[in-house]
């Protein structure tokens, strides 16, 4: 085979594409016969100089090919000498298996308040070696509570792992293992199997964010190991690379951080990074795509050249789309060759009516308000079948190491030949040129959009093709893929800003460009809906679809579900509506046509030689008229409430707590999926789906009274919500997304976790932090001017009478620091005996972003200069993670004067006035008090009779914060949050949060009986 060198060039549309690691390096022949050896190495810990993190040192390993060797070497960090300086760890030359490699690895470790960020570089100067994989660093030994932990993985729309067995048996999400651990690993990012390169690990007592922040979108996967004996997990990212002699590879920033809150906080962390480095989401997508309810996908002519829909039938397709409520049509198989045949040639077929008839059909669709998308495959080219193959296709095919092209087959009928398809390498200009020409052709035919089928749906491939414009080998479909699509979109938009690009397959880096995703992705299929019903309505699954992950991280997303059947099941339609997805029906074969036109329900025999049938089970379950009427009703419902359901921002369950009314046959909240959408005007609506088999009385807490309740079609809006039904509750409150709910960040542990450790001691504060919460502490100034923690005015109660002096008159050095506040009352003889009060500086060491320390100042303003000195000397506490609270108005003012960057909340009782004649506080009283003290808000005693939603709203509308103390019952806390308070101070944060989580959905046993995975 003769090869010509083609000029590949970085794509203008993607500023991130460059080839640092390939420049100037000699190209290795794809045919050099390297053989591999994996050596089994003893792990020797000689990491004295290494930083430790969690329970382990920085840990990495690499796979290295050596020319002439039979197997690759496994080079591990623990076997290397390390030079450590500050946060820089340098290894090299590397040794392995008695061999020295002229390579250097540098890992830089940066501390952040809640974790660590790693970056680094691998340099290879060894002419006989090539690095093929870099694994690490690793987040090690994360203790998990197997009964409460979850791991959130962005596989497709999302997946949640719930199962952490103690016996080490492979089951549920765990697909490999040995005596010491079980493991699971994603496929490669970027692909529909790993749509964003981060995961969240909810340990049962806090959440870890583990991510790779890689602006270049290079290939990577993530693996999790569960060590069932130690009950801990580790997380490691794996980077397939090709680092040849002379190359320098940069390790993308790898972040391991504890976040305040649950997985939502991790999602927000990723999104915040994504927004700093990627073009704005949907910035190149036309606005009209937001109004799509979904599409009718039709294959007009099949692979066996059976002609099912001539172009003159487009009006009949419009009838079908309208009958199902869909406002767009995707034309597939519209060409001379039919579907999956003769690619990349796409010409209008004279036998189907020719180009003019096609144009007329599209114009008729437009007249009826229906958008049209025209298909081409974004990667497939049939081997040997077209002129393009001879001229360009063979040269630009993605190639294996042995030089042969990767070949895929799509054999749709048993009685026709198997066609072979090679893949176009996106670095090659001829592939770009052909795809651009096809998009322009679609535009000339009058289409509104062009679909690159499969282009978003494939994992990266290692391409060994010479002359493609990339180093050899190189992972294709990574950094160049979003740029490839963006470039074509830009070229189309130069003449028509409203032209939309669609891809099959979903992942984050495409989000700037794509108008609608045709979701071929986990959690997009009917089987995922069934799994979700099992996991949420009955018991808990070992792992389950969790579409919340992608929807919440990217609430702007417009994507279809995936349904290769000419009708949709009721539950599938409801699933789409409640998650803000778009629907799909697919008409692919002749019996599908008869089904949608004549209402004839086909049998298996009707499909003859067809290999992959639509869901006959679905088609037989509901009469065609009933199925299409419900789908239309839901699409109309979504359009009627488009400001929420199509154009709104999906915020999951932020600010709402959904329960069923007492006495309902349904256990509280189980079997209900409720999702909140916020419109551009700040109002909200909550879409609720009852996927249980019992009617449910729905109560939505958090947004006040609904202004309206709506349901699709003629479905009832009164009484209990019937099984497999949806409703929309619309709220006028413009409270944005700030309404809080029980969470790690919103419960403040009063005097520390004072139910489980003695109040106002370091053990009580540490317990709060270890459990994931912030806390409140009380402080006094001692006679020798130290700021220390204590609640009462004198030392009597919590020293069990050992000391009776007033706090302000006792000396820290000689008295307070000797006092035992860990043995009074119920703590007598406990493990806390001998605990002394804490100094403020010791308390501030525990400050963490994402949760708050409330410092209650018990004294007059004389203490404030001493507080300021303590703050000046420490580094953890910041205005983000510390608040002051105090009843004393003068102290309040002094704090705002000397430490203005810190927030201060004025403490208030629910009733005020002289003894015997106390009256409930009013909003006016509270606002006056806040103004007089110059505070940032109020921290008020909670009395559910007095602290009403109206009172809270008035104070917040005046521009102040509203917090409450001290609430120890979950029902009372839920009331408080529902009324708009921002935090609740409590003696039993963990107990309440555990109860809240248990009530919401989880009846967990360590060995669940139902496996909802698929
Ligand atoms: Zn290539």
């Amino acid at each position: 085979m003769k090869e010509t060198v083609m000029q590949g060039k970085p794509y203008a549309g993607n500023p991130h594409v460059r080839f640092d690691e390939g420049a100037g390096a000699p190209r290795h022949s794809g045919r050099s016969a390297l053989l591999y050896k994996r050596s089994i190495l003893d792990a020797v810990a000689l990491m004295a100089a290494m930083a430790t993190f969690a329970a382990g040192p920085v840990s990495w390993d690499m796979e290295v090919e050596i020319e002439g060797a039979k197997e690759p070497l496994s080079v591990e960090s623990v076997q290397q000498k390390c030079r450590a300086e500050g946060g820089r760890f340098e290894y090299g030359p590397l040794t392995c298996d008695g061999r020295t490699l002229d390579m250097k690895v540098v890992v830089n470790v940066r501390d952040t308040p809640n974790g660590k960020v790693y970056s680094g570089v691998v340099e290879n100067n060894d002419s006989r070696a090539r690095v093929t994989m870099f694994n690490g660093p690793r987040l090690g030994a994360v203790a998990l509570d197997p009964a409460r932990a979850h791991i959130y993985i962005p596989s497709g729309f999302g997946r949640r792992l719930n199962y952490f067995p103690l016996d080490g048996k492979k089951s549920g999400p765990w697909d490999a293992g040995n005596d010491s651990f079980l493991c699971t690993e994603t496929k490669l990012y970027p692909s529909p199997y790993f749509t964003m390169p981060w995961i969240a690990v909810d340990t049962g007592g806090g959440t870890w964010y583990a991510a790779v922040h890689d602006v270049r979108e290079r290939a990577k996967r993530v693996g999790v190991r569960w060590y069932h004996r130690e009950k801990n997990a580790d997380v490691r990212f794996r980077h397939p690379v090709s680092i040849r002699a002379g190359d320098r590879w940069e390790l993308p920033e790898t972040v391991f951080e504890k976040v305040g809150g649950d997985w939502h906080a991790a999602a927000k962390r990723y999104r915040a990074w994504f927004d700093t480095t990627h073009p704005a989401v949907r910035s190149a997508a036309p606005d009209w795509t937001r109004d799509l309810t979904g599409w009718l996908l039709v294959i007009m002519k099949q692979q066996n050249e059976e002609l099912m829909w001539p172009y003159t039938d487009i009006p009949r397709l419009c009838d079908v789309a309208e009958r199902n409520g869909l406002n767009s049509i995707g034309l597939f198989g519209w060409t001379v060759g039919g579907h999956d045949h003769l690619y990349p040639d796409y010409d209008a077929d004279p036998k189907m009516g020719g180009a003019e008839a096609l144009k007329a059909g599209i114009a008729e669709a437009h007249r009826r308000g229906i958008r049209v998308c025209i298909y081409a495959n974004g990667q497939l080219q049939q081997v040997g079948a077209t002129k393009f193959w001879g001229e360009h296709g063979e040269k630009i095919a993605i190639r294996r190491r042995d030089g042969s092209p990767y070949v895929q087959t799509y054999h749709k009928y048993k009685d026709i030949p198997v066609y072979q398809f090679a893949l176009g390498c996106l670095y090659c200009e001829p592939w770009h040129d052909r795809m651009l020409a096809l998009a322009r052709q679609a535009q000339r035919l009058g289409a509104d959009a062009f679909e690159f089928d499969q282009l978003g749906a494939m994992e990266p491939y290692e391409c060994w093709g010479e002359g493609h414009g990339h180093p050899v080998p190189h992972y294709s479909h990574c950094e160049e893929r979003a740029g490839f699509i963006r470039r074509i979109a830009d070229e189309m938009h130069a003449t028509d800003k409203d032209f939309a690009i669609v891809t099959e397959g979903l992942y984050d880096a495409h989000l700037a460009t794509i108008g609608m995703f045709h979701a071929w992705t986990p959690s997009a299929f009917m089987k995922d809906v069934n799994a979700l019903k099992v996991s949420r309505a009955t018991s808990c699954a070992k792992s389950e679809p969790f579409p919340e992950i992608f929807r919440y991280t990217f609430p702007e997303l417009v994507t279809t579900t995936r349904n290769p059947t000419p009708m949709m099941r009721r539950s599938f339609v409801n699933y789409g509506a409640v998650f803000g997805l778009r629907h799909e029906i697919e008409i692919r074969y002749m019996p599908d046509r008869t089904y949608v036109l004549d209402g004839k329900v086909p049998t298996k025999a009707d499909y003859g030689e067809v290999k992959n049938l639509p869901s006959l089970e679905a088609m037989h379950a509901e009469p065609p008229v009933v199925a299409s009427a419900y789908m239309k009703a839901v699409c109309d419902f979504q359009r009627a409430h488009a400001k929420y359901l199509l154009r709104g921002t999906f915020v999951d369950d932020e600010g709402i707590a959904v329960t069923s009314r007492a006495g309902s046959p349904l256990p509280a909240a189980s079997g209900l999926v409720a999702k909140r959408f916020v419109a551009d005007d700040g109002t909200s609506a909550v879409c609720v789906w009852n996927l249980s088999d019992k009617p449910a009385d729905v109560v939505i807490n958090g947004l006040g009274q609904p202004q309206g309740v709506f349901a699709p079609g003629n479905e009832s809006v009164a009484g209990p919500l019937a099984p497999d039904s949806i409703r929309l509750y619309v709220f006028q409150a413009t409270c944005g997304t700030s309404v809080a709910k029980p969470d790690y960040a919103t419960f403040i542990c009063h005097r520390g976790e004072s139910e489980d450790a003695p109040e106002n001691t370091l053990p009580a504060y540490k317990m709060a932090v270890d459990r994931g919460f912030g806390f409140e502490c009380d402080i006094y100034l001692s006679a020798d001017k130290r700021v220390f923690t204590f609640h009462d005015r004198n030392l009597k109660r919590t020293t069990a009478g050992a000391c009776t002096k007033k706090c302000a008159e006792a000396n820290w050095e000689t008295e307070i620091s000797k006092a035992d506040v860990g043995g009074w009352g119920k703590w007598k003889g406990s493990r806390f005996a001998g605990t002394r009060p804490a100094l403020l500086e010791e308390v501030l060491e525990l400050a963490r972003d994402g949760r708050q320390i409330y410092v209650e100042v018990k004294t007059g303003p004389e203490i404030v200069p001493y507080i300021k000195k303590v703050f000046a000397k420490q580094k953890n506490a910041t205005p983000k993670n510390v608040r002051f609270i105090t009843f004393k108005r003068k102290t309040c003012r002094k704090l705002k004067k000397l430490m203005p960057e810190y927030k201060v909340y004025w403490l208030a009782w629910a009733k005020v006035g002289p003894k015997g004649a106390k009256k409930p506080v009013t909003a006016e009283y509270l606002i006056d008090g806040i103004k007089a003290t110059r505070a940032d808000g109020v921290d008020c005693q909670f009395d559910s009779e007095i602290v009403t939603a109206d009172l809270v709203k008035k104070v917040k509308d005046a521009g102040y914060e509203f917090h409450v103390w001290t609430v120890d019952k979950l029902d009372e806390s839920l009331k408080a949050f529902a009324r708009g308070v921002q935090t609740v101070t409590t003696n039993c944060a963990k107990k309440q949060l555990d109860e809240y989580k248990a009530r919401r959905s989880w009846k967990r046993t360590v060995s669940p009986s139902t496996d909802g995975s698929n």
Side-chain angles (χ1 to χ4, degrees), residues 855-867:
V855 179
E856 180 178 349
V857 185
K858 289 289 198 186
T859 74
E862 70 279 359
I863 195 175
V864 178
Y866 296 96
I867 296 174

Side-chain angles (χ1 to χ4, degrees), residues 45-336:
L46 39 87
M47 312 307 289
M50 298 291 299
T52 55
F53 185 49
V58 176
S59 162
W60 54 263
D61 61 272
M62 304 194 301
E63 279 176 28
V64 181
E65 280 183 10
I66 304 292
E67 215 171 298
K70 281 185 181 162
E71 286 175 21
L73 294 178
S74 177
V75 181
E76 299 185 22
S77 58
V78 288
Q79 298 171 314
Q80 312 304 325
K81 278 191 187 145
C82 174
R83 291 174 296 282
E85 195 187 337
R88 185 175 189 277
F89 302 93
E90 185 179 323
Y91 311 79
L94 306 179
T95 57
C96 181
D97 225 8
R99 172 189 263 286
T100 301
L101 298 166
D102 188 4
M103 290 185 186
K104 189 164 90 175
V105 173
V106 178
V107 180
N108 300 302
V109 187
R110 181 160 57 81
D111 287 315
T112 67
N114 303 302
K116 291 192 188 297
V117 177
Y118 300 82
S119 57
V121 68
V122 178
E123 280 177 24
N124 178 10
N125 292 306
D126 197 314
S127 60
R128 299 184 63 206
R130 183 173 76 100
V131 183
T132 57
M133 180 74 79
F134 185 90
N135 299 322
R138 178 172 68 97
L139 172 64
V142 179
L144 299 187
D145 175 349
R148 293 168 62 220
H150 300 283
I151 296 180
Y152 296 84
I153 298 182
S155 167
F157 292 159
R159 188 146 203 93
R160 176 160 84 168
L161 275 49
N162 305 319
Y163 181 56
F164 302 88
L166 299 179
D167 57 6
K169 279 196 194 124
K170 281 192 284 178
S171 178
W174 305 105
D175 42 39
N178 59 29
D179 284 349
S180 45
F181 63 82
L182 294 169
C183 64
T184 183
E185 189 165 289
T186 65
K187 292 190 180 183
L188 284 176
Y189 171 90
S191 80
Y193 309 103
F194 191 26
T195 49
M196 305 181 274
W198 63 274
I199 68 169
V201 180
D202 180 344
T203 65
T207 307
W208 281 95
Y209 169 72
V212 177
H213 291 175
D214 184 3
V215 76
R216 295 171 63 184
E217 300 141 19
R218 288 170 291 186
K220 56 193 65 77
R221 59 178 99 233
V222 66
V224 180
R225 287 185 181 178
W226 162 241
Y227 295 83
H228 50 90
R229 284 197 206 99
E230 294 82 3
K231 295 200 185 92
N232 66 42
D234 73 24
V235 177
R236 57 188 78 203
F237 287 96
R238 292 159 65 80
H239 304 265
V241 293
S242 175
I243 311 169
R244 297 142 305 167
D247 284 355
R248 186 174 185 279
W249 177 79
E250 281 178 20
L251 171 70
E253 272 202 345
T254 304
V255 182
F256 298 131
E257 275 181 3
K258 238 178 171 178
V259 291
D262 60 14
W263 70 268
H264 293 94
K268 281 187 171 160
R269 177 78 178 86
Y270 180 71
R271 180 63 194 261
W273 170 78
F274 187 89
D275 283 345
T276 62
T277 56
H278 285 74
V281 169
R282 290 188 55 83
S283 57
D287 189 63
W288 61 263
T289 54
R290 294 171 75 195
D291 292 318
L292 292 173
T293 55
W295 72 354
L296 178 153
L297 186 167
V298 59
I299 295 179
M300 306 181 87
K301 180 181 184 178
Q302 260 296 1
Q303 194 178 33
N304 63 354
E305 301 193 14
E306 182 183 19
L307 204 173
M308 292 172 289
W309 300 88
Y311 303 138
T312 46
D313 267 356
I314 289 176
R316 305 178 81 178
L317 288 166
C318 292
D319 294 343
V320 178
E322 281 171 356
R323 198 187 315 134
N324 285 279
L326 298 169
N327 54 9
S328 73
I329 297 177
L331 301 180
F332 287 45
W334 60 278
T335 60
V336 172

Side-chain angles (χ1 to χ4, degrees), residues 794-805 820 824:
N794 65 54
L795 300 168
K796 191 173 158 196
R797 177 176 58 97
T798 60
T799 60
C803 182
T804 55
K805 269 197 175 174
D820 177 0
W824 59 277

